[in-house]
Amino acid sequence: RAAAKVNLTFEILGTRSDGYHEVETLLHSVDLFDHITLEISPSQKSKIILRNYESTVPGHFPMDNTNLVSKTIRKYFDAFTNADSQMFEVVADVEKAIPIEAGLAGGSADAAATLVAMNLAFDNKFSEDRLLRLAAELGADVPFALAGGLCLGTERGDKLESTDLFQSLHMVLVKPKNLSISTPLMFKTYDQSRGIEDVKAGSKSRAALAALSTGDLELFYKNLSNDFESVYFEIHPEMAELRSKLLEFGCWTVNLTGSGPTMYGTVPNLNSANRVARALVAERMNNPGANYFKHGSLDIHVVRS
């Protein structure tokens, strides 16, 4: 199973010498899953076949060697010290439920699940630390997808500080079906809006963790935030309207995850989450001309951490 993630916080601290951005982010796994199935057998020639793809969400998933599942399988085999001693055919099936290009790290989750599956198939050939290094080579979100739980991500977001803290959170994930966001464009626009030299110290991510450690849930929720929101809501004011509607329907807080376009609303329990989801469905029926439906219907998921 490949679990989606939510960025409870996302703070942009400045730019790095390698061209990436320095960030602090509080990452949390949620119970929305893709499923990866691998069949591995000896072969005369190394081969990766994506046999079957099923999806309950819209979006493009490449059916060639450019998808992250195929890249991960190649990365794993390339890490063998004696890769030529044996050839294998790997047949992969993917069942996708995590929205694509949504800020939920669905592709990274698929890569992490594939790493775990490959390592199980080869009797845990690589240690957890080695798998984490391979994960970092595949993408900034893959190490967290491999670790899961609740972590503080620093540097590019891929240096993880794990925590034993746990808070069961109920959320409603809302993504406009036909809205996609370019993460590089969001970073560029953010830099232009604040001035590239405007470097700040992170505070909300660690403050949220500290509040959680003392059981101060009011302060914890107060620190949930995302620096991309100033850019996102300026480019898409209709999404600010949707945020207001989610708060009206009973969400405690509503924030962007990653670079968007998915927003997550926190609620006290599962019943509240379902009420918000039903209210959104009714809103689509009763008010189809609302600005926040200009990108089509909403992809809604009730989840918990």
Side-chain angles (χ1 to χ4, degrees):
R1 295 194 306 178
K5 64 83 183 165
V6 166
N7 296 91
L8 296 176
T9 63
F10 193 87
E11 301 177 87
I12 305 170
L13 308 185
T15 53
R16 297 160 47 95
S17 58
D18 60 7
Y20 289 95
H21 285 74
E22 191 80 19
V23 305
E24 281 193 354
T25 178
L26 195 57
L27 304 132
H28 212 332
S29 303
V30 295
D31 61 351
L32 175 62
F33 301 101
D34 290 347
H35 289 82
I36 310 295
T37 303
L38 304 181
E39 295 178 6
I40 304 171
S41 57
S43 175
Q44 296 297 314
K45 183 179 178 182
S46 180
K47 189 184 300 183
I48 301 170
I49 301 170
L50 186 57
R51 177 176 58 189
N52 190 42
Y53 172 69
E54 298 179 7
S55 178
T56 59
V57 294
H60 175 63
F61 184 90
M63 295 292 288
D64 54 25
N65 59 11
T66 64
N67 71 70
L68 262 176
V69 172
S70 296
K71 288 181 178 180
T72 301
I73 295 169
R74 286 199 303 275
K75 175 71 70 176
Y76 188 90
F77 280 138
D78 288 346
F80 279 177
T81 56
N82 187 13
D84 294 331
S85 61
Q86 177 67 63
M87 298 292 183
F88 294 93
E89 177 181 279
V90 183
V91 179
D93 295 334
V94 178
E95 298 176 41
K96 196 147 195 65
I98 303 172
I100 296 171
E101 296 180 342
L104 298 169
S108 296
D110 293 348
T114 302
L115 274 179
V116 171
M118 291 292 292
N119 210 41
L120 285 172
F122 289 94
D123 298 321
N124 295 313
K125 180 178 179 66
F126 297 133
S127 67
E128 183 177 343
D129 286 345
R130 183 72 175 101
L131 286 180
L132 282 169
R133 291 198 298 273
L134 290 176
E137 295 172 12
L138 288 161
D141 280 333
V142 184
F144 172 74
L146 191 66
L150 174 64
C151 292
L152 178 69
T154 59
E155 297 185 358
R156 293 190 305 155
D158 57 348
K159 182 180 179 182
L160 301 177
E161 297 178 23
S162 60
T163 172
D164 293 332
L165 296 173
F166 175 77
Q167 176 64 36
S168 181
L169 306 175
H170 290 84
M171 307 178 199
V172 181
L173 306 182
V174 182
K175 178 193 178 293
K177 284 195 173 180
N178 299 323
L179 178 60
S180 296
I181 297 293
S182 165
T183 299
L185 179 60
M186 290 286 280
F187 272 119
K188 181 180 179 179
T189 307
Y190 181 84
D191 288 339
Q192 291 171 342
S193 69
R194 69 178 178 127
I196 198 158
E197 300 303 326
D198 182 17
V199 178
K200 69 184 185 71
S203 60
K204 289 185 176 292
S205 301
R206 296 181 187 275
L209 271 181
L212 196 58
S213 69
T214 61
D216 190 342
L217 295 184
E218 182 178 352
L219 184 59
F220 168 75
Y221 283 108
K222 183 178 179 180
N223 279 286
L224 303 187
S225 64
N226 188 317
D227 284 350
F228 275 135
E229 288 173 5
S230 59
V231 174
Y232 179 68
F233 293 133
E234 182 177 348
I235 298 173
H236 295 289
E238 69 279 6
M239 292 298 100
E241 294 180 36
L242 179 58
R243 181 186 197 178
S244 297
K245 185 60 66 173
L246 285 164
L247 291 170
E248 178 186 323
F249 286 156
C251 290
W252 285 343
T253 63
V254 179
N255 293 100
L256 199 65
T257 176
S259 60
T262 302
M263 293 188 291
Y264 72 92
T266 59
V267 289
N269 51 50
L270 181 60
N271 287 337
S272 297
N274 285 324
R275 278 198 299 271
V276 171
R278 288 195 297 268
L280 284 171
V281 173
E283 180 74 5
R284 172 67 170 172
M285 296 177 62
N286 298 329
N287 191 16
N291 287 335
Y292 37 82
F293 291 124
K294 67 184 288 185
H295 306 289
S297 59
L298 302 174
D299 197 358
I300 305 166
H301 297 272
V302 171
V303 301
R304 62 182 179 180
S305 62

